[in-house]
Amino acid sequence: FDFCQAEGKKRPSENLGQVLFGERIEPSPYRFTFNKKETCKTVCTKTYDTTKPEDKQKLDFLKKSMLLNYQHHWIVDNMPVTWCYDVEDGQRFCNPGFPIGCYITEDGRPKDACVINSEFHEKDTFYIFNHVDIKIYYHVVENEALGARLVAAKLEPKSYRHTHPDNPDCSGVPMDISNKANGEVKIAYTYSVSFEEEKNIRWASRWDYILESMPHTHIQWFSIMNSLVIVLFLSGMVAMIMLRTLHKDIARYNQMDSTEDAQEEFGWKLVHGDIFRPPRKGMLLSVFLGSGTQILIMTFVTLFFACLGFLSPANRGALMTCAVVLWVLLGTPAGYVAARFYKSFGGEKWKTNVLLTSFLCPGIVFADFFIMNLILWGEGSSAAIPFGTLVAILALWFCISVPLTFIGAYFGFKKNAIEHPVRTNQIPRQIPEQSFYTKPLPGIIMGGILPFGCIFIQLFFILNSIWSHQMYYMFGFLFLVFIILVITCSEATILLCYFHLCAEDYHWQWRSFLTSGFTAVYFLIYAIHYFFSKLQITGTASTILYFGYTMIMVLIFFLFTG
């Protein structure tokens, strides 16, 4: 964008999480001195001659961004500068950004922010917010060394056509840019700043006013109650089956003393000689289990830290950094779990197993990420990740994660294989004709519905925080939902597993992985719905990016739920 640039100031350094999320912080040309009031100070003036093609292109880009309601995001002392305005039923909403400008349509309807001022009334016209009134609230520190701390920064965007850009007076008519305007367009950027002491806000709780204005918490409690009901229902079912049915079956089994009774076995006992037959594609299953364990522990620890408040929105990029570092360090459990299962499936090719565990799932994620990055490079986006960071991520993966996976696998293969309580028969049993709901596909599709029902309200807020730049801070809720999701996945799988073992189908390993893993497919469907109903994304590159990043999330979610 062609706004005022800061001359020769260094860019602030960023952590890994910010770089991965494409957050770039730029120095600002707006200069403040503490407690020094400024009124109507000029920053710079931009002139566009619409007869020159490059100027016209810059102006058209500005107009397009106003049409799409692009926002400025400013930071002072790590606090977002907010624009607070009244919304319905007497509440104030504090937006951590403010629009570049706004547009009045050809039939005179004001769009987005144009409703704030009745002077914006020209048809088919853009109004640019070229003046800001900034108010900085501070709190004088008692009892320590003399000084003051910033507790809030708020602004009001205004639009003025400065008749004398050299000594502006910040009054008069708004700065309008007609859609059909020709000739020269001059935009002077100005600001006013004032300081006000605020005794009531403590420095530690200075984020509260932004978070309080986000009207989400009542929906959250509703969704948690909804999820808990699902969990109680499932737990009841599982308990009933475990206690009543299995108890009855086992008691009946123990009463049989003569051998001729034992011939008339039924249900799940018929398959005892086949239940531990190694699954087809056991290698792939063990690799998925290893990677899934890694992601499960990573999610648990990250959310636990977030609950304790280490990863609040004030630490920019901390969440992503924490997740990546944990993922790298958790190579050992991945290698160990994969090796244990592979050995118990009777596998021999342990080298292939270790290599696949350390490279298959991370490789897919990295390849996807790399392709997305190439698209961002091609588009010249500021979210493109610099080459150095890519090398750093590769180094983390190859030099830390992979050796740790090898160590885990070494211990996994050294231990004795998991002992099975019953011998496996030489000849596989024939599986009888299955009824509709114990067939693999319907069972798997049904299994994913319940876990998805638990999380989909949280998903909406998470997707909003990723794509619509709203702050996400409800980690307590998220941790609860995470625990509920883990329980729901396990219980739904146990139930369906019991049903199809009763129908004498003993291929349970892959089915139990896929039953809860299918939640990821519902997640994908939801993401597609979200794309069409909530986001106005135009252009091929943006669409490919959205779905590319969604596929990464779906894969991680699949391994995690499975």
Side-chain angles (χ1 to χ4, degrees):
F1 286 105
D2 191 35
F3 295 122
C4 307
Q5 302 284 329
E7 248 73 283
K9 281 171 84 174
K10 228 164 96 269
R11 286 211 12 225
S13 68
E14 281 140 348
N15 59 30
L16 183 66
Q18 282 171 293
V19 177
L20 290 181
F21 256 127
E23 287 187 20
R24 296 284 178 276
I25 299 177
E26 296 286 346
S28 150
Y30 294 78
R31 302 282 162 82
F32 310 151
T33 318
F34 178 61
N35 252 343
K36 183 178 168 207
K37 197 176 172 208
E38 302 273 8
T39 40
C40 213
K41 202 160 178 326
T42 314
V43 190
C44 69
T45 306
K46 296 280 181 184
T47 311
Y48 302 100
D49 186 355
T50 46
T51 48
K52 292 183 186 153
E54 67 265 26
D55 279 13
K56 190 173 178 350
Q57 196 182 355
K58 281 180 184 171
L59 196 61
D60 286 347
F61 192 57
L62 265 181
K63 286 181 187 171
K64 186 185 167 191
S65 66
M66 287 187 248
L67 198 58
L68 294 172
N69 196 19
Y70 270 65
Q71 310 258 333
H72 289 281
H73 289 270
W74 290 2
I75 307 171
V76 177
D77 182 36
N78 202 22
M79 277 291 282
V81 181
T82 56
W83 174 37
C84 295
Y85 49 90
D86 293 313
V87 284
E88 65 266 11
D89 45 83
Q91 289 194 310
R92 272 182 93 62
F93 178 70
C94 289
N95 182 4
F98 69 96
I100 290 179
C102 62
Y103 177 58
I104 306 270
T105 56
E106 288 178 5
D107 49 8
R109 254 179 339 107
K111 282 187 61 166
D112 301 319
C114 276
V115 293
I116 62 171
N117 192 336
S118 55
E119 289 185 359
F120 301 163
H121 51 65
E122 297 285 324
K123 293 179 180 175
D124 194 19
T125 302
F126 292 95
Y127 288 95
I128 188 161
F129 293 133
N130 57 340
H131 173 84
V132 283
D133 285 333
I134 304 173
K135 197 167 211 174
I136 290 181
Y137 297 88
Y138 64 93
H139 153 127
V140 175
V141 184
E142 301 103 8
N143 68 33
E144 283 173 45
L146 282 175
R149 284 173 153 179
L150 179 145
V151 288
K154 300 183 182 178
L155 60 73
E156 287 285 326
K158 300 269 172 64
S159 179
Y160 296 119
R161 170 176 295 246
H162 299 297
T163 33
H164 310 290
D166 311 319
N167 58 348
D169 53 353
C170 291
S171 59
V173 291
M175 177 72 213
D176 53 339
I177 305 169
S178 168
N179 206 2
K180 306 185 178 63
N182 284 321
E184 197 176 58
V185 178
K186 248 189 185 173
I187 306 174
Y189 291 95
T190 53
Y191 69 96
S192 304
V193 62
S194 62
F195 290 84
E196 188 177 311
E197 186 169 357
E198 171 66 80
K199 292 195 168 78
N200 305 331
I201 303 178
R202 302 221 353 265
W203 186 78
S205 52
R206 59 185 191 157
W207 281 77
D208 292 3
Y209 82 96
I210 302 175
L211 304 183
E212 275 161 14
S213 76
M214 302 206 161
H216 295 150
T217 8
H218 52 280
I219 304 178
Q220 300 294 322
W221 282 116
F222 171 72
S223 87
I224 295 277
M225 294 325 285
N226 164 29
S227 314
L228 282 171
V229 168
I230 294 181
V231 166
L232 284 173
F233 157 74
L234 272 175
S235 304
M237 291 271 291
V238 171
M240 211 171 78
I241 282 181
M242 288 300 155
L243 294 172
R244 279 195 51 203
T245 324
L246 283 178
H247 188 70
K248 244 161 61 184
D249 288 354
I250 290 167
R252 207 155 101 199
Y253 201 56
N254 291 346
Q255 278 163 9
M256 298 177 180
D257 30 25
S258 58
T259 47
E260 51 267 22
D261 290 359
Q263 295 309 311
E264 302 163 24
E265 288 185 356
F266 53 90
W268 50 267
K269 285 202 228 33
L270 289 173
V271 295
H272 71 80
D274 297 280
I275 192 75
F276 292 114
R277 193 174 295 290
R280 287 175 292 223
K281 304 252 188 308
M283 168 77 87
L284 192 61
L285 182 59
S286 63
V287 168
F288 278 177
L289 285 168
S291 300
T293 311
Q294 191 174 7
I295 290 163
L296 180 73
I297 303 174
M298 170 192 93
T299 316
F300 179 79
V301 179
T302 307
L303 286 179
F304 184 69
F305 278 151
C307 274
L308 296 179
F310 293 139
L311 311 176
S312 73
N315 308 357
R316 294 165 196 286
L319 188 75
M320 192 71 174
T321 311
C322 179
V324 170
V325 169
L326 276 169
W327 182 84
V328 165
L329 295 178
L330 287 167
T332 315
Y336 179 78
V337 170
R340 279 307 294 261
F341 276 105
Y342 186 59
K343 194 170 177 179
S344 77
F345 295 155
E348 301 291 328
K349 308 186 197 143
W350 63 271
K351 288 180 188 138
T352 322
N353 180 267
V354 187
L355 286 170
L356 278 177
T357 308
S358 33
F359 293 116
L360 179 67
C361 300
I364 295 172
V365 171
F366 186 80
D368 187 329
F369 196 68
F370 186 71
I371 293 167
M372 296 302 111
N373 207 36
L374 283 181
I375 295 174
L376 286 171
W377 265 336
E379 294 283 319
S381 161
S382 64
I385 289 167
F387 190 69
T389 312
L390 277 181
V391 174
I393 294 171
L394 278 176
L396 280 176
W397 177 21
F398 283 111
C399 307
I400 304 174
S401 185
V402 173
L404 285 174
T405 312
F406 272 83
I407 295 169
Y410 170 74
F411 285 113
F413 279 117
K414 231 174 74 165
K415 285 190 79 150
N416 294 332
I418 301 165
E419 296 249 328
H420 297 316
V422 285
R423 272 208 326 276
T424 304
N425 294 343
Q426 294 293 317
I427 301 163
R429 258 184 81 85
Q430 237 189 330
I431 298 176
E433 183 64 37
Q434 296 290 310
S435 63
F436 172 71
Y437 68 92
T438 54
K439 284 200 176 88
L441 206 60
I444 287 172
I445 290 175
M446 280 190 306
I449 292 177
L450 287 171
F452 181 72
C454 290
I455 58 164
F456 85 101
I457 294 189
Q458 281 293 339
L459 264 185
F460 173 72
F461 291 115
I462 293 171
L463 289 177
N464 266 353
S465 79
I466 296 174
W467 302 114
S468 311
H469 287 288
Q470 293 177 3
M471 278 175 206
Y472 190 86
Y473 57 93
M474 296 173 280
F475 294 114
F477 283 120
L478 192 58
F479 193 66
L480 257 173
V481 168
F482 168 80
I483 303 291
I484 290 174
L485 175 67
V486 170
I487 298 171
T488 320
C489 283
S490 323
E491 290 183 344
T493 308
I494 292 172
L495 270 180
L496 287 160
C497 192
Y498 174 79
F499 290 145
H500 75 79
L501 286 181
C502 283
E504 299 175 31
D505 179 355
Y506 51 83
H507 294 306
W508 60 276
Q509 290 101 332
W510 268 110
R511 279 182 62 169
S512 57
F513 188 88
L514 293 172
T515 299
S516 54
F518 203 78
T519 317
V521 178
Y522 289 111
F523 174 29
L524 177 63
I525 294 166
Y526 184 74
I528 294 170
H529 161 75
Y530 181 84
F531 178 80
F532 287 113
S533 68
K534 289 281 181 291
L535 300 176
Q536 293 100 14
I537 287 185
T538 49
T540 341
S542 305
T543 313
I544 295 173
L545 284 169
Y546 176 82
F547 285 107
Y549 286 129
T550 302
M551 287 323 285
I552 293 181
M553 292 192 276
V554 167
L555 173 70
I556 289 176
F557 195 66
F558 168 72
L559 293 171
F560 160 72
T561 47

